[in-house]
Every structure is written in structure tokens, then in C-alpha cells.
Amino acid sequence: DQQVKQNSPSLSVQEGRISILNCDYTNSMFDYFLWYKKYPAEGPTFLISISSIKDKNEDGRFTVFLNKSAKHLSLHIVPSQPGDSAVYFCAASGFRGTSGSRLTFGEGTQLTVNP
Amino acid sequence: DAGITQSPRHKVTETGTPVTLRCHQTENHRYMYWYRQDPGHGLRLIHYSYGVKDTDKGEVSDGYSVSRSKTEDFLLTLESATSSQTSVYFCAISESERTQTGYTFGSGTRLTVV
């Protein structure tokens, strides 16, 4: 069963506008969440993370929001730039020392930012 | 960038043959992982290692084995390759079980089984 789901395979936005990527999870043991960015022919690279004790974390143009009651997180990119065009993966981790401590990834969302 | 290298970068092999993919790191990290990336499935964990000779299965381990005889090398073997194992394989490393920045990934190996 898919414990981390990204229901939108693709998203297209105009340069300068906001990009919102969504992620849902089912495992209530997850307490740390990360977003990765992946360009073609490269490995995923870490973008931003959030702990379950927070509901928002911001880093420059990137902000991640966490709604624990809804088991939902989102990544906001403002303003979007053509260089942001990539596949974005949501990932979740459970408690240290448990099998859930390994990162579980969503399916990914292809973001295209049009000039 | 982090010293993690995967080899080969591309491989085409025939059904039924054994294949070994190599992951080499120069960061002296304790934890190493093998993931595969497939459309509609994202990244799925195959096997991982928490130290030399210490390995365990992930969610899609059937048909795969791993070995870690040195800190720096983590090998993934497809014992008898099948077409369903055509995928992009990523190795990842981490210094501890959980870090604020998660794992560092290699550039991937694209494997095609014909």
C-alpha cells in the first residue's frame, strides 16, 4: 500500500506565479517529512524538510506546510522560475529505531514552469 | 557534492543473467540504501545497510541481494534478471539513521533487461 501519495503526476505554472505541490500520507507514525527535487539523469537532491512539531518551514522561495490532522503537506514555490522545472518527491520518516525510520517516498510530481 | 558514485551508469542485460550494481562512497557514512525508481511508483526501497555486513530488506527486495564488505561499498545483485527489473536504480547514503536533510543520492544506474 502506498503510504505516501502525490496525486498529481504533473503541474504546469507560469514563471513568477506560485507552484503548489501536494502530498498525503497514511501512516500516523511518520513524524518527519522532506521534499526532494530531481532533474533528468541526476539523483534526487534534498530541498526542504519539516518536523511534525511544526506546521510551517520556510527557506527562501520554498515553504512547506504540514497539516497533521489531515495527514497532508504541501510545498509552495514563490515565485516559480523555469529552473524549478523538475520532478518533486515527497518523503516521510518514522521514529528512529523502527522500520519506518527509512524514507518512504511518494510517486513524484513533474513541475513545469513556463517562461 | 557528497562523494557517492554508482557504476555502471547504464547497462543492458539479457533475461536470466546475473547483474551487479556498485555504489561507492567516500563520506564514511554508516547507512547505505538501494532504491529503484519507476513511473507511478516513485522511489521504493530495495535493501539497506546499517554497517559493514549488516543489511536488511526493504519493501521490494524479492529477486535482489546485497553485500557490504567495506564501509565504502554497497553492492546490489540481481540474481537472475527479469524484465520487471528494468528500472533506474539509486544508491543513497546517510550519516545517521535520521538526519534533517535525509539521504544523499547517487546519480543512478539505468538498467534495461531485454
Side-chain angles (χ1 to χ4, degrees):
Chain A
D1 62 334
Q2 191 76 23
Q3 298 185 68
V4 178
K5 286 196 67 64
Q6 295 176 253
N7 290 313
S8 298
S10 62
L11 174 67
S12 182
V13 300
Q14 286 300 119
E15 181 178 4
R17 305 295 291 269
I18 184 171
S19 295
I20 300 176
L21 294 93
N22 294 301
C23 177
D24 297 295
Y25 62 97
T26 58
N27 190 337
S28 58
M29 300 296 284
F30 288 145
D31 68 339
Y32 203 78
F33 305 89
L34 307 90
W35 285 94
Y36 281 79
K37 178 178 181 179
K38 184 186 178 305
Y39 292 118
E42 296 183 9
T45 56
F46 169 78
L47 187 58
I48 191 169
S49 62
I50 188 167
S51 165
S52 61
I53 63 174
K54 295 185 176 182
D55 54 19
K56 176 182 174 181
N57 188 27
E58 193 171 354
D59 183 1
R61 297 185 297 114
F62 302 91
T63 303
V64 56
F65 295 92
L66 176 62
N67 182 334
K68 290 186 291 295
S69 61
K71 293 191 175 67
H72 176 83
L73 62 155
S74 61
L75 174 68
H76 292 212
I77 306 173
V78 184
S80 302
Q81 299 173 353
D84 295 329
S85 297
V87 176
Y88 289 78
F89 289 102
C90 171
S93 172
F95 296 128
R96 188 189 304 270
T98 69
S99 61
S101 66
R102 264 71 67 189
L103 288 181
T104 299
F105 286 83
E107 302 93 329
T109 297
Q110 171 69 57
L111 173 66
T112 302
V113 181
N114 301 302
Chain B
D1 56 348
I4 176 170
T5 306
Q6 292 184 233
S7 59
R9 289 298 309 275
H10 302 271
K11 186 170 181 66
V12 179
T13 192
E14 293 186 351
T15 299
T17 61
V19 177
T20 295
L21 309 183
R22 181 183 184 233
C23 179
H24 178 79
Q25 60 142 332
T26 58
E27 302 298 313
N28 201 36
H29 285 348
R30 178 181 173 188
Y31 295 85
M32 299 186 75
Y33 312 84
W34 277 107
Y35 282 85
R36 59 178 288 176
Q37 182 195 2
D38 303 289
H41 293 279
L43 293 157
R44 292 180 292 175
L45 182 65
I46 306 171
H47 280 280
Y48 65 96
S49 170
Y50 46 97
V52 174
K53 297 193 189 323
D54 292 323
T55 65
D56 206 347
K57 296 178 180 180
E59 62 179 306
V60 290
S61 59
D62 286 349
Y64 301 95
S65 62
V66 289
S67 66
R68 190 167 179 201
S69 58
K70 299 184 289 184
T71 298
E72 57 266 35
D73 290 325
F74 192 32
L75 304 180
L76 176 71
T77 297
L78 287 66
E79 293 139 11
S80 177
T82 68
S83 59
S84 65
Q85 293 176 312
T86 292
S87 186
V88 181
Y89 292 85
F90 288 100
C91 176
I93 61 175
S94 65
E95 192 169 15
S96 60
E97 191 173 9
R98 296 225 308 185
T99 71
Q100 287 191 351
T101 57
Y103 308 159
T104 300
F105 284 83
S107 298
T109 294
R110 181 172 294 277
L111 177 69
T112 302
V113 182
V114 298

